[in-house]
Amino acid sequence: QVQLVESGGGSVQAGGSLRLSCAASGFTFSLYCMGWLRQAPGKEREGIATIRSDGSTTYGDSVKGRFTISKDKAKSTLYLQMNSLKPEDTAMYYCAAARFCSVLSPLWPSNYGTHGQGTQVTVSS
């Protein structure tokens, strides 16, 4: 049974940092395309970062240079280091998994067949 469990969300002031974690189980973590998605109230779900099985990464323009996606294969854990947070980063953040990354649209949320329950990130000005 595929399971993704996020943690690490919280409230922070603008300019601060948070590190999200996602514990994965029930599948061969090292072979999967993993990503972070987020959804703000009233907005569509947005893919913000992807890491492929070979470790290569793709970022959305809104987080490029501020967020870093990484993974620990031995622990089957995905991370998202978020620095220089802005109020517009406020959203529910989801860890997601796909057997293969899309070549053309790796950040597209519909690429991912499985995601966790999410962890809330709130950034105040």
Side-chain angles (χ1 to χ4, degrees):
Q1 178 181 353
V2 175
Q3 190 170 18
L4 301 170
V5 180
E6 303 94 338
S7 61
S11 297
V12 64
Q13 288 192 328
S17 298
L18 283 174
R19 188 195 196 199
L20 306 184
S21 299
C22 171
S25 61
F27 63 102
T28 308
F29 178 77
S30 62
L31 297 181
Y32 271 59
C33 174
M34 300 297 298
W36 286 99
L37 317 176
R38 69 184 182 185
Q39 188 165 19
K43 294 189 176 181
E44 293 187 354
R45 191 164 292 189
E46 171 191 20
I48 58 172
T50 294
I51 186 165
R52 300 169 184 80
S53 56
D54 65 0
S56 60
T57 58
T58 299
Y59 295 94
D61 289 341
S62 61
V63 305
K64 198 175 296 182
R66 300 187 298 123
F67 291 9
T68 302
I69 187 172
S70 63
K71 61 183 177 180
D72 185 328
K73 293 181 181 180
K75 296 182 178 179
S76 294
T77 301
L78 181 72
Y79 301 100
L80 184 69
Q81 178 66 44
M82 306 186 295
N83 298 329
S84 302
L85 283 161
K86 304 175 181 180
E88 51 263 44
D89 293 318
T90 295
M92 185 72 78
Y93 283 71
Y94 300 91
C95 168
R99 183 59 185 90
F100 299 104
C101 276
S102 167
V103 174
L104 295 179
S105 305
L107 297 175
W108 200 251
S110 60
N111 291 332
Y112 299 93
T114 303
H115 58 79
Q117 293 299 307
T119 186
Q120 177 68 38
V121 172
T122 302
V123 185
S124 58
S125 57

